[in-house]
Short mmCIF file of all heavy atoms in Angstrom, two decimals:
data_model
loop_
_atom_site.label_atom_id
_atom_site.label_comp_id
_atom_site.label_asym_id
_atom_site.label_seq_id
_atom_site.Cartn_x
_atom_site.Cartn_y
_atom_site.Cartn_z
N ALA M 314 -6.00 -3.85 7.83
CA ALA M 314 -5.86 -3.91 9.32
C ALA M 314 -4.64 -3.17 9.80
O ALA M 314 -4.62 -2.45 10.83
CB ALA M 314 -5.76 -5.38 9.79
N LEU M 315 -3.52 -3.22 9.00
CA LEU M 315 -2.28 -2.49 9.34
C LEU M 315 -2.51 -1.02 9.30
O LEU M 315 -2.01 -0.25 10.17
CB LEU M 315 -1.12 -2.91 8.36
CG LEU M 315 0.23 -2.34 8.74
CD1 LEU M 315 0.68 -2.84 10.02
CD2 LEU M 315 1.22 -2.76 7.67
N TYR M 316 -3.33 -0.52 8.29
CA TYR M 316 -3.55 0.85 8.28
C TYR M 316 -4.33 1.41 9.49
O TYR M 316 -3.93 2.38 10.13
CB TYR M 316 -4.46 1.20 6.99
CG TYR M 316 -5.03 2.61 7.07
CD1 TYR M 316 -4.28 3.73 6.79
CD2 TYR M 316 -6.38 2.78 7.50
CE1 TYR M 316 -4.75 5.00 6.92
CE2 TYR M 316 -6.89 4.08 7.58
CZ TYR M 316 -6.07 5.12 7.28
OH TYR M 316 -6.55 6.49 7.42
N PHE M 317 -5.31 0.70 9.90
CA PHE M 317 -6.15 1.12 11.05
C PHE M 317 -5.35 0.95 12.35
O PHE M 317 -5.57 1.78 13.32
CB PHE M 317 -7.45 0.38 11.21
CG PHE M 317 -8.45 0.65 10.10
CD1 PHE M 317 -8.75 -0.18 9.12
CD2 PHE M 317 -9.08 1.95 10.01
CE1 PHE M 317 -9.63 0.13 8.06
CE2 PHE M 317 -10.01 2.21 9.09
CZ PHE M 317 -10.27 1.36 8.08
N ALA M 318 -4.43 0.02 12.35
CA ALA M 318 -3.54 -0.13 13.55
C ALA M 318 -2.58 1.03 13.67
O ALA M 318 -2.14 1.41 14.77
CB ALA M 318 -2.83 -1.45 13.53
N LEU M 319 -2.10 1.58 12.57
CA LEU M 319 -1.03 2.55 12.55
C LEU M 319 -1.47 4.01 12.30
O LEU M 319 -0.78 4.94 12.62
CB LEU M 319 -0.02 2.26 11.46
CG LEU M 319 0.80 0.93 11.65
CD1 LEU M 319 1.88 0.85 10.42
CD2 LEU M 319 1.54 0.87 12.90
N ALA M 320 -2.78 4.15 11.83
CA ALA M 320 -3.25 5.48 11.43
C ALA M 320 -3.09 6.53 12.53
O ALA M 320 -2.70 7.67 12.31
CB ALA M 320 -4.67 5.41 10.98
N SER M 321 -3.40 6.18 13.73
CA SER M 321 -3.31 7.13 14.85
C SER M 321 -1.92 7.44 15.33
O SER M 321 -1.73 8.46 16.08
CB SER M 321 -4.21 6.63 16.03
OG SER M 321 -3.73 5.45 16.57
N VAL M 322 -0.96 6.62 14.97
CA VAL M 322 0.43 6.86 15.50
C VAL M 322 1.40 6.99 14.26
O VAL M 322 2.51 6.78 14.41
CB VAL M 322 0.87 5.75 16.37
CG1 VAL M 322 0.09 5.80 17.70
CG2 VAL M 322 0.76 4.34 15.70
N ILE M 323 0.83 7.32 13.09
CA ILE M 323 1.69 7.27 11.85
C ILE M 323 2.82 8.29 11.98
O ILE M 323 3.86 8.20 11.36
CB ILE M 323 0.79 7.57 10.62
CG1 ILE M 323 1.54 7.08 9.39
CG2 ILE M 323 0.34 9.01 10.54
CD1 ILE M 323 0.74 7.09 8.13
N HIS M 324 2.63 9.38 12.79
CA HIS M 324 3.61 10.45 12.92
C HIS M 324 4.85 9.92 13.59
O HIS M 324 6.00 10.54 13.50
CB HIS M 324 3.06 11.73 13.68
CG HIS M 324 2.63 11.33 15.08
ND1 HIS M 324 1.48 10.62 15.37
CD2 HIS M 324 3.17 11.70 16.24
CE1 HIS M 324 1.36 10.47 16.62
NE2 HIS M 324 2.38 11.11 17.23
N ARG M 325 4.82 8.87 14.26
CA ARG M 325 5.89 8.25 14.99
C ARG M 325 6.74 7.32 14.09
O ARG M 325 7.72 6.73 14.62
CB ARG M 325 5.43 7.50 16.23
CG ARG M 325 4.77 8.34 17.24
CD ARG M 325 4.73 7.80 18.65
NE ARG M 325 6.11 7.67 19.11
CZ ARG M 325 6.46 7.07 20.29
NH1 ARG M 325 5.49 6.55 21.08
NH2 ARG M 325 7.66 6.98 20.72
N PHE M 326 6.42 7.15 12.84
CA PHE M 326 7.08 6.28 11.97
C PHE M 326 7.82 7.04 10.79
O PHE M 326 7.99 6.48 9.68
CB PHE M 326 6.15 5.17 11.34
CG PHE M 326 5.67 4.18 12.41
CD1 PHE M 326 4.58 4.44 13.18
CD2 PHE M 326 6.41 3.09 12.54
CE1 PHE M 326 4.18 3.58 14.14
CE2 PHE M 326 5.98 2.13 13.50
CZ PHE M 326 4.86 2.39 14.38
N HIS M 327 8.19 8.24 11.03
CA HIS M 327 8.78 9.06 9.96
C HIS M 327 10.05 8.47 9.39
O HIS M 327 10.16 8.34 8.15
CB HIS M 327 9.17 10.50 10.57
CG HIS M 327 9.87 11.33 9.54
ND1 HIS M 327 9.22 11.90 8.51
CD2 HIS M 327 11.17 11.74 9.45
CE1 HIS M 327 10.10 12.60 7.78
NE2 HIS M 327 11.25 12.50 8.33
N TYR M 328 10.92 7.85 10.20
CA TYR M 328 12.17 7.34 9.69
C TYR M 328 12.02 5.98 9.04
O TYR M 328 12.97 5.48 8.36
CB TYR M 328 13.19 7.28 10.77
CG TYR M 328 13.59 8.68 11.29
CD1 TYR M 328 12.95 9.21 12.37
CD2 TYR M 328 14.47 9.42 10.59
CE1 TYR M 328 13.30 10.49 12.82
CE2 TYR M 328 14.80 10.69 11.08
CZ TYR M 328 14.19 11.25 12.08
OH TYR M 328 14.52 12.52 12.53
N LEU M 329 10.86 5.35 9.17
CA LEU M 329 10.54 4.14 8.47
C LEU M 329 10.63 4.31 7.00
O LEU M 329 11.01 3.48 6.25
CB LEU M 329 9.20 3.58 8.88
CG LEU M 329 8.69 2.32 8.22
CD1 LEU M 329 9.67 1.19 8.41
CD2 LEU M 329 7.33 1.92 8.79
N LYS M 330 10.27 5.57 6.50
CA LYS M 330 10.30 5.83 5.11
C LYS M 330 11.71 5.67 4.54
O LYS M 330 11.94 5.24 3.43
CB LYS M 330 9.83 7.26 4.88
CG LYS M 330 8.36 7.52 5.31
CD LYS M 330 8.01 8.97 5.13
CE LYS M 330 6.58 9.27 5.65
NZ LYS M 330 6.27 10.67 5.56
N TYR M 331 12.74 6.05 5.42
CA TYR M 331 14.15 5.90 4.88
C TYR M 331 14.43 4.40 4.70
O TYR M 331 15.12 4.03 3.86
CB TYR M 331 15.03 6.62 5.89
CG TYR M 331 14.93 8.14 5.92
CD1 TYR M 331 14.08 8.74 6.82
CD2 TYR M 331 15.71 8.89 5.05
CE1 TYR M 331 14.03 10.09 6.88
CE2 TYR M 331 15.61 10.25 5.13
CZ TYR M 331 14.74 10.86 6.02
OH TYR M 331 14.61 12.25 6.03
N GLY M 332 14.00 3.64 5.76
CA GLY M 332 14.35 2.18 5.75
C GLY M 332 13.68 1.55 4.53
O GLY M 332 14.36 0.68 3.86
N LEU M 333 12.45 1.91 4.21
CA LEU M 333 11.78 1.36 3.10
C LEU M 333 12.51 1.65 1.76
O LEU M 333 12.59 0.86 0.89
CB LEU M 333 10.32 1.80 2.97
CG LEU M 333 9.42 1.37 4.23
CD1 LEU M 333 8.05 1.98 4.15
CD2 LEU M 333 9.36 -0.18 4.32
N SER M 334 12.89 2.93 1.61
CA SER M 334 13.64 3.39 0.50
C SER M 334 14.94 2.60 0.28
O SER M 334 15.32 2.14 -0.85
CB SER M 334 13.95 4.86 0.61
OG SER M 334 12.74 5.61 0.70
N LEU M 335 15.65 2.31 1.43
CA LEU M 335 16.84 1.51 1.37
C LEU M 335 16.61 0.09 1.02
O LEU M 335 17.48 -0.51 0.34
CB LEU M 335 17.67 1.67 2.67
CG LEU M 335 18.21 3.04 2.99
CD1 LEU M 335 18.82 3.10 4.43
CD2 LEU M 335 19.22 3.47 2.02
N VAL M 336 15.53 -0.47 1.44
CA VAL M 336 15.13 -1.76 1.01
C VAL M 336 15.08 -1.88 -0.48
O VAL M 336 15.60 -2.88 -1.12
CB VAL M 336 13.84 -2.29 1.63
CG1 VAL M 336 13.30 -3.58 1.00
CG2 VAL M 336 13.94 -2.48 3.16
N LEU M 337 14.44 -0.96 -1.10
CA LEU M 337 14.34 -0.93 -2.60
C LEU M 337 15.76 -0.87 -3.25
O LEU M 337 16.03 -1.59 -4.31
CB LEU M 337 13.52 0.26 -3.05
CG LEU M 337 12.01 0.15 -2.91
CD1 LEU M 337 11.30 1.31 -3.43
CD2 LEU M 337 11.45 -1.13 -3.59
N VAL M 338 16.69 -0.10 -2.69
CA VAL M 338 17.97 0.09 -3.24
C VAL M 338 18.79 -1.27 -3.05
O VAL M 338 19.41 -1.73 -3.99
CB VAL M 338 18.74 1.18 -2.47
CG1 VAL M 338 20.20 1.21 -2.99
CG2 VAL M 338 18.15 2.61 -2.87
N VAL M 339 18.65 -1.89 -1.95
CA VAL M 339 19.29 -3.14 -1.70
C VAL M 339 18.82 -4.26 -2.62
O VAL M 339 19.61 -4.96 -3.25
CB VAL M 339 19.13 -3.55 -0.19
CG1 VAL M 339 19.61 -4.98 0.00
CG2 VAL M 339 19.93 -2.64 0.71
N VAL M 340 17.51 -4.42 -2.77
CA VAL M 340 17.01 -5.53 -3.57
C VAL M 340 17.28 -5.18 -5.10
O VAL M 340 17.45 -6.07 -5.88
CB VAL M 340 15.48 -5.75 -3.31
CG1 VAL M 340 15.30 -6.20 -1.96
CG2 VAL M 340 14.74 -4.54 -3.68
N GLY M 341 17.33 -3.90 -5.40
CA GLY M 341 17.72 -3.54 -6.78
C GLY M 341 19.21 -3.92 -7.09
O GLY M 341 19.49 -4.46 -8.11
N ALA M 342 20.02 -3.56 -6.12
CA ALA M 342 21.41 -4.05 -6.30
C ALA M 342 21.58 -5.53 -6.33
O ALA M 342 22.43 -6.00 -7.06
CB ALA M 342 22.27 -3.50 -5.12
N LYS M 343 20.82 -6.21 -5.56
CA LYS M 343 20.87 -7.68 -5.62
C LYS M 343 20.44 -8.18 -7.04
O LYS M 343 21.12 -9.17 -7.49
CB LYS M 343 19.81 -8.26 -4.55
CG LYS M 343 19.81 -9.80 -4.48
CD LYS M 343 18.77 -10.22 -3.46
CE LYS M 343 18.80 -11.74 -3.33
NZ LYS M 343 18.37 -12.49 -4.48
#
Side-chain angles (χ1 to χ4, degrees):
L315 187 62
Y316 166 76
F317 289 109
L319 297 181
S321 62
V322 293
I323 198 170
H324 62 288
R325 298 201 63 184
F326 290 87
H327 176 73
Y328 295 96
L329 178 57
K330 299 174 183 179
Y331 293 94
L333 299 176
S334 301
L335 291 176
V336 167
L337 285 180
V338 173
V339 169
V340 296
K343 181 180 183 298

